[in-house]
Amino acid sequence: MKKSKMWGGRFAAGPADIMERINASIEFDQRLFKQDIACSKAHVKMLLDQCIISGDDGSKILNGLDQILVEIETGKLQFQVELEDIHLNIESRLKELIGDAAGRLHTARSRNDQVATDFRLWVRDTVDQLDLQLRDLQAALIAQGESHFDTLLPGLTHLQPAQPITFGHHMLAYVEMLGRDRSRLSDCRKRLNECPLGSAALAGTSFPVDRNATALLLGFDRPMLNSLDAVSARDFAAEFLSVAAITAVNLSRFAEEIVLWASPQFGFVELSDSFSTGSSIMPQKRNPDAAELARGKTGRILGALQALLVVIKGLPLAYAKDLQEDKEPVFDAADSLTLVIAALTGMLGDMKINKDAMVAALEEGFPTATDLADWLVRELDLPFRDAHHVTGVLVRSAEIKGCGLADLSLSEMQKVEKRINDSVFSVLSFEASAASRTSFGGTAPQLVCEALAAAKERYL
């Protein structure tokens, strides 16, 4: 057993090997290196301004931190497990570079407020990245919508044919979903953007620190108000994961539709070779694996949220080592969500739309039945429930005959309701059905064009 380089003063011997392994977090928290160095530089600048450390020591520390950043980015610095985490690895290297002045860096702070600050910075950076990615995915959806604003396909409920809609309208549904996801990310960012630095271990510090200054240097809106809360709060990470989970579920719904649409049974879309795979045994297969994996990775993200909530649910104030388990679920979820958004954006960009298959699918399931019922209400003044019944009888007649509603003769219709006249056929085409849906937010092609333009203005 080795004596610890950082906290060995209290201990006569170092940790057992298994303790060293379970205690170390450097394998995953090394991802915080940029945030940790930025946090340290802001802390040092504040210490200098407050005359807590000398100008000479401060300059050495700042120059040393800049050098360490380059060493990490170029892969020259090898992290050591025995130094536990990213903070001690950087501080140890700083001592090698500048000597005893490195020991001044940790004045008036603890690893507790340090890691809380680093983690908030990392999540904030990730939120900004994900927002840009979701914007790009919205742009891809809008581009497909613009190309097919009047392309008709069956709108489904219960996965059964319901009414004709436009493909552009369908794309806009996901644009709006992603807009809400981006809004949730924005809300999450606002709440996490408070700075723990200067709270030290849990009670604050006796040094005359300026927490407003460090918060400003790091781009936070304000310092956190309570030192106990500052070092122990991880609800910002839980909120991020909850937003990630909701976003992943929305993306999974889109991925599921792509899987269905790409199947021969639908045939609505064709995915490019770049976003499909084959089979090891069946030469004819073209599998929509990008969409399937996007759907599957949702489980990982949902699991990450559950894992973090379980970690923090029973922790007393303030800091406990359990909180070391906060980062891996967040890192994994962020990685998964980043990959899913990128895959779906790429897949959508070169996805081909099969208009003929969509129109052919409209021939099934009597999707203009509601238009017939509405016509009976408007033109014959039938109560809707009576119109619904009449339409149902006509649907059954068409089903028995093996034709569409528009293929029934006028005389066949009049056997059910004698007042039906020729004008009924004007509402039974798929184009007329879609064009008639002019209520706000409806699927009429003209409305879809206007909605696409508004979405570009609002989101892009």
Side-chain angles (χ1 to χ4, degrees):
M1 294 188 293
K2 304 176 288 295
K3 189 173 180 179
S4 171
K5 295 181 181 179
M6 291 294 163
W7 46 268
R10 168 64 177 82
F11 294 83
D17 289 343
I18 193 67
M19 180 61 197
E20 187 173 89
R21 287 173 57 196
I22 196 173
N23 193 50
S25 57
I26 187 61
E27 288 186 3
F28 52 86
D29 71 15
Q30 61 185 266
R31 294 179 64 156
L32 299 174
F33 74 90
K34 288 183 180 179
Q35 291 78 17
D36 192 70
I37 289 175
C39 175
S40 290
K41 290 179 69 174
H43 184 64
V44 169
K45 290 174 182 177
M46 181 276 296
L47 294 177
L48 284 169
D49 289 343
Q50 295 299 107
C51 300
I52 297 173
I53 63 173
S54 70
D56 183 55
D57 285 343
S59 295
K60 289 179 180 178
I61 293 171
L62 291 172
N63 291 334
L65 290 171
D66 286 338
Q67 182 176 335
I68 292 169
L69 179 61
V70 172
E71 291 178 353
I72 296 174
E73 289 179 332
T74 58
K76 293 180 180 179
L77 180 59
Q78 299 299 311
F79 297 118
Q80 300 177 53
V81 172
E82 60 268 25
L83 293 174
E84 300 182 17
D85 55 33
I86 187 61
H87 323 298
L88 296 187
N89 269 268
I90 288 174
E91 189 173 335
S92 176
R93 177 56 180 155
L94 185 64
K95 186 173 183 179
E96 291 174 353
L97 291 174
I98 67 171
D100 290 341
R104 305 288 184 189
L105 172 58
H106 211 52
T107 305
R109 76 173 184 184
S110 161
R111 280 191 295 175
N112 295 355
D113 63 335
Q114 185 179 358
V115 70
T117 305
D118 291 356
F119 199 19
R120 282 176 184 265
L121 289 170
W122 191 92
V123 173
R124 190 180 71 187
D125 291 343
T126 302
V127 164
D128 292 343
Q129 173 193 329
L130 289 170
D131 181 70
L132 291 175
Q133 280 195 283
L134 289 173
R135 180 185 181 278
D136 289 344
L137 181 51
Q138 285 179 303
L141 288 162
I142 289 170
Q144 283 284 12
E146 288 177 327
S147 297
H148 300 282
F149 73 94
D150 59 352
T151 297
L152 297 180
L153 76 160
L156 309 178
T157 63
H158 307 276
L159 209 59
Q160 302 295 315
Q163 293 177 319
I165 61 171
T166 56
F167 189 74
H169 191 60
H170 203 110
M171 294 295 98
L172 279 168
Y174 287 106
V175 171
E176 293 304 314
M177 282 190 204
L178 297 180
R180 292 192 296 274
D181 292 328
R182 291 179 65 188
S183 178
R184 280 184 281 266
L185 281 173
S186 177
D187 288 344
C188 171
R189 192 190 195 282
K190 290 175 185 175
R191 271 182 289 278
L192 72 82
N193 205 36
E194 296 183 343
C195 186
L197 194 60
S199 298
L202 76 162
T205 176
S206 59
F207 290 94
V209 297
D210 184 348
R211 294 191 60 215
N212 285 294
T214 47
L216 182 64
L217 285 168
L218 292 169
F220 288 106
D221 294 329
R222 63 191 66 84
M224 294 187 73
L225 297 176
N226 182 281
S227 60
L228 284 170
D229 180 46
V231 300
S232 62
R234 293 298 184 273
D235 51 356
F236 73 92
E239 182 176 10
F240 167 72
L241 287 180
S242 68
V243 174
I246 294 170
T247 302
V249 168
N250 285 338
L251 295 175
S252 183
R253 297 181 72 185
F254 178 63
E256 168 70 4
E257 295 210 295
I258 296 300
V259 171
L260 291 172
W261 289 349
S263 69
Q265 289 75 16
F266 279 78
F268 290 178
V269 302
E270 180 180 339
L271 303 181
S272 71
D273 291 348
S274 299
F275 291 93
S276 303
T277 63
S279 166
S280 64
I281 189 173
M282 295 169 283
Q284 82 281 10
K285 294 293 292 299
R286 177 190 286 272
N287 298 325
D289 281 5
E292 291 174 1
L293 287 166
R295 185 178 59 185
K297 285 185 180 295
T298 299
R300 294 174 69 113
I301 298 169
L302 297 176
L305 172 59
Q306 180 69 12
L308 181 60
L309 291 174
V310 170
V311 166
I312 62 180
K313 72 173 182 63
L315 295 184
L317 297 180
Y319 183 86
K321 198 66 177 226
D322 309 51
L323 291 177
Q324 187 166 287
E325 296 298 310
D326 60 357
K327 296 168 200 66
E328 286 183 285
V330 172
F331 292 161
D332 185 76
D335 289 346
S336 295
L337 188 56
T338 296
L339 188 58
V340 164
I341 298 171
L344 291 178
T345 303
M347 183 183 65
L348 186 63
D350 61 3
M351 184 175 73
K352 294 181 180 178
I353 308 303
N354 187 344
K355 294 183 180 181
D356 292 339
M358 291 180 178
V359 171
L362 283 166
E363 301 292 342
E364 303 292 333
F366 310 101
T368 58
T370 305
D371 299 278
L372 174 55
D374 289 344
W375 183 90
L376 292 169
V377 171
R378 281 195 310 271
E379 301 299 323
L380 305 185
D381 198 28
L382 285 180
F384 183 80
R385 287 303 172 197
D386 293 344
H388 187 285
H389 175 76
V390 169
T391 301
V393 174
L394 290 173
V395 166
R396 186 164 65 247
S397 298
E399 195 170 38
I400 292 170
K401 189 177 179 181
C403 68
L405 283 172
D407 299 317
L408 290 174
S409 68
L410 181 60
S411 62
E412 287 172 315
M413 291 187 181
Q414 288 175 337
K415 288 178 182 178
V416 179
E417 170 50 66
K418 62 181 180 181
R419 292 180 292 165
I420 295 177
N421 57 61
D422 280 339
S423 69
V424 71
F425 294 103
S426 67
V427 302
L428 295 182
S429 72
F430 307 134
E431 293 79 9
S433 175
S436 72
R437 306 296 165 182
T438 55
S439 59
F440 182 79
T443 193
Q446 181 58 41
L447 289 184
V448 171
C449 285
E450 294 171 4
L452 287 163
K456 289 175 75 172
E457 182 71 21
R458 188 163 61 252
Y459 295 124
L460 304 186

